[in-house]
């Protein structure tokens, strides 16, 4: 599998130590200049930026980004500067303020379009609507193509229809329905592009995919979301590329809720993505009141190779042991809980103890990997975490990444002669197999 990596000059994916504020006096002047720039020029600048970062690689995708008016697919309150920024635009929130629909970041949309390798006259199903991405697909597929976008939320599908009509892409079919079931009347599809996070791959997607088609889906794997490019291989699907990403979760019958354990209200939340991991909420909450154990590995990273540790998260999640991710409000937990990633920090567990991935700054350019542990078994967990970091650094840091496959329920994944994690879902079993030392995947 080719593991596509976020570019180091795109800060949206970077961990906290590498993220930097972007607002300045100069930035304010730039925003004023952008506000007075015509949308056509902003589209051209966005396309040029994406091409420079190599998210756009083909003339067809470049032409789509230069043609489709993104500002017509975002709320009227969004400025032109924000409409054409290389960032996500939230278009709908639930009563609690959580995003339920958005226009994805252009770099990620460009990546998915390039992975789909669409040709003129292509037949494409998009699961999860917003309108803009469907318009990009339709521009690449051309006047003889077939594009269907489906969303379970009536407000979202209505907004997509209105925006597509305004932008001149009336040929796109907008369907209000559960994306779990695809859209059989227009099948088979050369590509199915899923723009919501999913924990499973329902049978309808595979049934409606053409024999040589591609399925691109943000698959949640033990709390880690990877945009997988999946193609048929014998009786299963094989990922040919994977990219760290984030999407709003799928709704409807495909919804797969995670377990959220508030260890300190909303300030520290442990998220469990499988039914096999046992965790005692009271015991883990009490663990945070014990002295924190800090331990540091010999493994370091610099700004120059910042993109090279994306696989560390997946490596830690791939271990056949109790595992979760922490989501932390750093401002409210300073000095107590300071994870490497405040949204999805890899965490090793026992029922009453935890140890999460941490980083500390050594100098202006170098950070060091380590771990913080809490609870009666913190010593064992931190030792295990350091061992795993060291193995990753030695065996997998610069390797091809794991082999990821999806096997339909009822079939049996082969048993390899090296460690493998199996994640059983309702429709599929996901396997993650890491190559042995020095062995190509």
């Amino acid at each position: 599998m080719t593991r596509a990596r976020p570019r180091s000059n795109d800060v949206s994916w970077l961990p906290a130590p590498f993220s930097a504020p972007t607002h300045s006096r100069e930035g304010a002047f730039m925003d004023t200049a952008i506000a007075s720039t015509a949308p056509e020029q902003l589209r051209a600048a966005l396309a040029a930026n994406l091409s420079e970062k190599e998210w756009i690689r083909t003339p067809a995708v470049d032409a789509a980004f230069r043609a489709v008016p993104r500002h017509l697919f975002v709320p009227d309150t969004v400025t032109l500067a924000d409409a054409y920024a290389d960032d996500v635009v939230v278009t709908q929130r639930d009563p609690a303020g959580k995003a339920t629909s958005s226009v994805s970041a252009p770099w990620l949309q460009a990546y998915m379009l390039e992975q789909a390798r669409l040709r003129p006259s292509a037949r494409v199903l998009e699961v999860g609507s917003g309108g803009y991405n469907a318009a990009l697909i339709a521009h690449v597929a051309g006047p003889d193509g077939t594009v269907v976008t489906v969303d379970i939320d009536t407000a979202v599908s209505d907004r997509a229809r209105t925006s597509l009509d305004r932008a001149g892409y009336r040929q796109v079919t907008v369907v209000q329905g559960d994306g779990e079931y695809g859209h059989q009347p227009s099948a088979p599809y050369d590509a199915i592009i899923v723009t919501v996070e999913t924990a499973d791959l329902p049978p309808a997607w595979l049934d409606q995919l053409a024999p040589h088609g591609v399925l691109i889906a943000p698959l949640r794997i033990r709390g880690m979301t990877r945009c997988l490019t999946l193609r048929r291989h014998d009786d299963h699907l094989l990922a040919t590329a994977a990219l760290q990403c984030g999407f709003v979760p799928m709704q409807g019958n495909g919804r797969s809720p995670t377990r959220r354990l508030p260890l300190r209200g909303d300030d520290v939340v442990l998220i469990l993505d499988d039914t096999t991991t046992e965790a005692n909420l009271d015991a883990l909450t009490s663990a945070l009141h014990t002295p924190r154990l800090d331990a540091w590995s010999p493994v370091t990273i610099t700004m120059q190779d910042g993109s090279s540790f994306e696989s560390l998260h997946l490596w830690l999640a791939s271990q056949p042991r109790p595992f979760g991710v922490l989501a932390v409000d750093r401002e409210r937990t300073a000095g107590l809980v300071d994870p490497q990633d405040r949204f999805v920090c890899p965490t090793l567990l026992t029922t009453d103890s935890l140890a999460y991935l941490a980083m500390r700054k050594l100098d202006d350019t170098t950070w060091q990997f380590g771990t913080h542990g809490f609870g009666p078994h913190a010593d064992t967990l931190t030792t295990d975490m350091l061992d795993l970091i060291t193995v990753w650094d030695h065996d997998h840091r610069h390797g091809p990444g794991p082999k990821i496959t999806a096997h339909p329920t009822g079939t049996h994944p082969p048993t390899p002669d090296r460690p493998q994690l199996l994640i059983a879902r309702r429709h599929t079993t996901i396997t993650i197999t890491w190559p042995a030392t020095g062995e190509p995947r």
Side-chain angles (χ1 to χ4, degrees):
M1 175 182 65
T2 300
R3 186 175 71 247
R5 294 169 175 166
R7 275 57 173 178
S8 59
N9 53 359
D10 190 307
V11 300
S12 62
W13 69 275
L14 289 171
F18 292 168
S19 299
T22 57
H23 297 290
S24 64
R25 182 181 299 273
E26 180 183 359
F29 287 128
M30 290 177 64
D31 288 345
T32 302
I34 289 174
S36 63
T37 305
E40 294 80 5
Q41 293 172 286
L42 295 175
R43 289 199 292 276
L46 175 61
N49 179 47
L50 295 174
S51 295
E52 181 182 357
K53 295 178 179 180
E54 298 183 12
W55 294 116
I56 290 179
R57 296 173 179 268
T58 59
V61 175
D62 180 77
F65 274 90
R66 291 176 183 272
V68 179
R70 191 173 192 248
H71 65 282
L72 298 184
F73 294 88
V74 301
D76 293 338
T77 55
V78 176
T79 66
L80 277 178
D82 290 336
Y84 288 100
D86 190 9
D87 200 0
V88 63
V89 176
V90 175
T91 55
Q92 181 173 288
R93 297 183 184 273
D94 64 17
K98 187 175 181 180
T100 56
S101 183
S102 65
V103 178
S104 299
W107 66 265
L108 183 52
Q109 292 174 312
Y111 170 80
M112 297 174 82
L113 279 173
E114 294 287 6
Q115 287 295 312
R117 300 177 186 175
L118 300 178
R119 297 178 179 273
S121 304
R123 306 181 67 84
V124 185
L125 171 67
E126 180 191 37
V127 177
S129 293
Y132 177 64
N133 195 58
L136 292 171
I137 295 169
H139 197 280
V140 175
D144 296 325
T146 298
V147 180
V148 179
T149 181
V150 58
D151 200 285
I152 195 170
D153 191 318
T154 302
V156 172
S157 56
D158 286 348
R159 185 172 62 248
R161 178 73 278 161
T162 299
S163 299
L164 284 161
D165 290 346
R166 287 175 61 196
Y169 292 90
R170 294 178 176 84
Q171 73 270 34
V172 175
T173 299
V174 179
V175 177
Q176 189 278 315
D178 193 335
E180 170 91 349
Y181 305 106
H183 185 66
Q184 181 61 47
S186 298
Y189 300 101
D190 300 303
I192 297 177
I193 300 176
V194 183
T195 59
V196 288
E197 178 194 83
T198 180
D200 205 351
L201 303 174
W205 296 353
L206 278 66
D207 293 343
Q208 295 172 25
L209 189 66
H212 299 290
V214 58
L215 170 61
I216 301 174
L219 188 67
R220 193 177 72 239
I221 304 171
R222 298 193 97 187
M224 306 292 163
T225 304
R226 296 294 182 271
C227 182
L228 300 183
T229 302
L230 296 155
R231 297 182 181 275
R232 298 183 192 275
H233 184 80
D234 297 331
D235 64 346
H236 61 276
L237 294 173
L238 171 66
T240 57
L243 180 72
Q244 185 178 12
C245 65
F247 282 87
V248 297
M250 192 167 178
Q251 302 178 45
N253 288 338
R255 180 174 180 267
S256 179
T258 55
R259 288 182 286 161
R260 298 177 62 88
L261 304 182
L263 305 187
R264 185 179 164 179
D266 291 332
D267 297 345
V268 181
V269 179
L270 177 66
I271 303 170
L272 304 178
D273 190 35
D274 60 65
T275 59
T276 60
T277 296
E278 297 182 4
N280 186 310
L281 174 59
D282 293 336
L284 290 173
T285 299
S286 297
L288 290 184
H289 295 284
T290 64
R292 191 177 83 180
L293 177 61
D294 294 3
W296 300 99
S297 77
V299 181
T300 60
I301 192 168
T302 66
M303 197 65 166
Q304 286 66 40
D305 59 1
S307 63
S308 68
F309 80 97
E310 177 268 330
S311 66
L312 175 57
H313 281 204
L314 195 55
W315 164 250
L316 295 173
S318 300
Q319 309 309 310
R321 58 181 299 158
F323 178 86
V325 298
L326 279 183
V328 173
D329 185 334
R330 277 204 184 97
E331 293 183 0
R332 299 172 62 90
T333 61
L336 174 64
V337 181
D338 188 21
Q340 174 267 321
D341 187 303
R342 65 190 179 96
F343 297 112
V344 285
C345 188
T347 306
L348 304 183
L349 300 166
T350 64
T351 55
D352 59 2
S353 303
L354 59 90
Y356 59 79
L357 182 65
M359 292 179 74
R360 67 178 178 183
K361 190 173 183 179
L362 297 182
D363 55 43
D364 289 342
T365 62
T366 308
W367 285 261
Q368 181 180 25
F369 287 113
T371 181
H372 299 160
F374 293 90
H377 296 98
D379 185 70
T380 299
L381 290 177
T382 55
T383 298
D384 291 349
M385 178 72 82
L386 296 184
D387 288 344
L388 289 170
I389 294 171
T390 302
V391 172
W392 167 79
D393 181 59
H394 183 267
D395 295 345
H396 305 297
R397 180 171 183 166
H398 302 291
K403 177 180 179 179
I404 302 176
T405 61
H407 299 257
T409 298
T411 62
H412 300 283
T415 302
D417 56 0
R418 53 185 183 268
Q420 180 187 68
L421 176 71
L422 277 70
I423 305 171
R425 303 295 195 186
R426 181 159 57 109
H427 301 305
T428 53
T429 296
I430 311 300
T431 73
I432 306 176
T433 309
W434 291 81
T437 306
E439 175 190 15
R441 189 195 59 76

